[in-house]
């Protein structure tokens, strides 16, 4: 079984200072609902409607879809156990996503398939 993880970096308009923030959706087993709610609207440069907010396409700086074989928390715990006990390093999801043995970036594959199928939102 595969798990998908959607990572979105957006401009944050809460203050006058230019800031960004990350929206993370981890451990997706069934990608289809996210295909219609996030990936297709992004692909078609449309508004993305999340549960608690709407994102304008122009505010999205970066969107990635990662794939792992285990839930993200399991991978983090496993990698943390492999560290020496006297280490003060904490493994995060981003370390997992940057490790090609544990995760692969499937963003391009998904968008290539959307382009080939020419699906509409």
């Amino acid at each position: 079984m595969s798990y998908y993880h959607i990572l979105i970096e957006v401009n944050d308009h809460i203050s006058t200072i230019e800031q960004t923030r990350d929206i993370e959706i981890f451990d997706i087993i069934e990608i289809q609902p996210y295909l219609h709610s996030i990936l297709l609207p992004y692909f078609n440069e449309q508004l993305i409607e999340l549960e608690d907010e709407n994102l304008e396409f122009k505010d999205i700086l970066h969107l990635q879809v990662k794939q792992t074989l285990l839930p993200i928390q399991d991978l983090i715990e496993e990698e943390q156990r492999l560290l020496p006990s006297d280490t003060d390093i904490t493994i995060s999801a981003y370390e997992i996503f940057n490790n090609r043995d544990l995760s692969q970036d499937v963003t391009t594959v998904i968008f290539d398939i959307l382009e080939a199928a020419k699906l509409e939102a």
Side-chain angles (χ1 to χ4, degrees):
M1 175 184 294
S2 289
Y3 294 86
Y4 297 93
H5 316 276
I6 298 175
L7 312 171
I8 306 170
E9 182 183 4
V10 296
N11 273 328
D12 202 351
H13 296 293
I14 294 174
S15 67
T16 56
I17 300 168
E18 190 81 12
Q19 288 184 314
T20 64
R21 65 186 169 93
D22 294 330
I23 298 170
E24 303 157 331
I25 305 168
F26 294 142
D27 300 334
I28 300 166
I29 296 171
E30 180 56 53
I31 193 78
Q32 187 170 355
Y34 297 93
L35 181 69
H36 292 288
S37 65
I38 297 174
L39 301 174
L40 264 173
Y42 177 81
F43 179 77
N44 291 316
E45 299 183 9
Q46 298 170 338
L47 181 75
I48 294 175
E49 297 178 20
L50 300 175
E51 285 182 20
D52 51 355
E53 68 179 308
N54 294 335
L55 302 175
E56 295 280 345
F57 176 80
K58 65 179 175 49
D59 291 331
I60 299 173
L61 302 173
H62 197 67
L63 184 143
Q64 282 187 305
V65 182
K66 299 287 191 167
Q67 181 182 30
T68 59
L69 296 177
L70 294 170
I72 196 66
Q73 193 58 44
D74 291 359
L75 292 168
I76 289 170
E77 289 170 6
E78 182 61 33
E79 287 299 298
Q80 199 71 45
R81 274 195 291 276
L82 295 175
L83 292 174
S85 60
D86 61 344
T87 306
D88 280 345
I89 297 171
T90 301
I91 301 292
S92 74
Y94 287 91
E95 278 83 26
I96 300 298
F97 295 142
N98 288 326
N99 183 331
R100 290 186 179 185
D101 293 335
L102 300 175
S103 164
Q104 75 184 87
D105 188 328
V106 294
T107 312
T108 304
V109 173
I110 289 173
F111 288 127
D112 285 351
I113 291 169
L114 292 178
E115 176 68 30
K118 291 290 186 193
L119 294 173
E120 294 296 322

